[in-house]
Amino acid sequence: LSELKETFPVLQGFHIASRKIYYRTSDGLWVANIDGAYPVQIDAKKCLAMTLDTKDSRIYWATEEGVWYMPFVGSDNNKFITVPTQLNTLKGVQKLAADTESK
């Protein structure tokens, strides 16, 4: 964690998947390569909570407006062609958990 703080000094929370780090800061939700290269902002709204669903390759996050999701970012330079989709309009979500159990 201390090494992550050197590369990502404003890190508030993070998840790692597919050689990417998805992380929250005071100014939104970001994705970067695991070494910190190519940081790209996914959402400029304050991110209250986030989680990854590795089974379906999606990231979910909560803002004051509700819960959003999108597929993982796939390119080396973190460009993405999908846009975030609002899942619902729940207010005040503080924690998210992805159900990755397959049945």
Side-chain angles (χ1 to χ4, degrees), residues 15-66:
H15 290 283
I16 296 174
S18 302
R19 300 183 49 91
K20 306 286 181 195
I21 182 168
Y22 296 85
Y23 59 100
R24 299 184 305 130
T25 67
S26 60
D27 64 346
L29 179 66
W30 294 78
V31 63
N33 291 358
I34 195 66
D35 63 359
Y38 301 106
V40 173
Q41 191 172 40
I42 295 173
D43 194 337
K45 294 181 289 299
K46 182 178 180 181
C47 181
L48 304 174
M50 65 172 289
T51 191
L52 301 181
D53 179 344
T54 55
K55 178 177 180 269
D56 292 327
S57 299
R58 289 182 176 173
I59 180 170
Y60 294 86
W61 68 98
T63 67
E64 289 293 334
E65 298 171 356

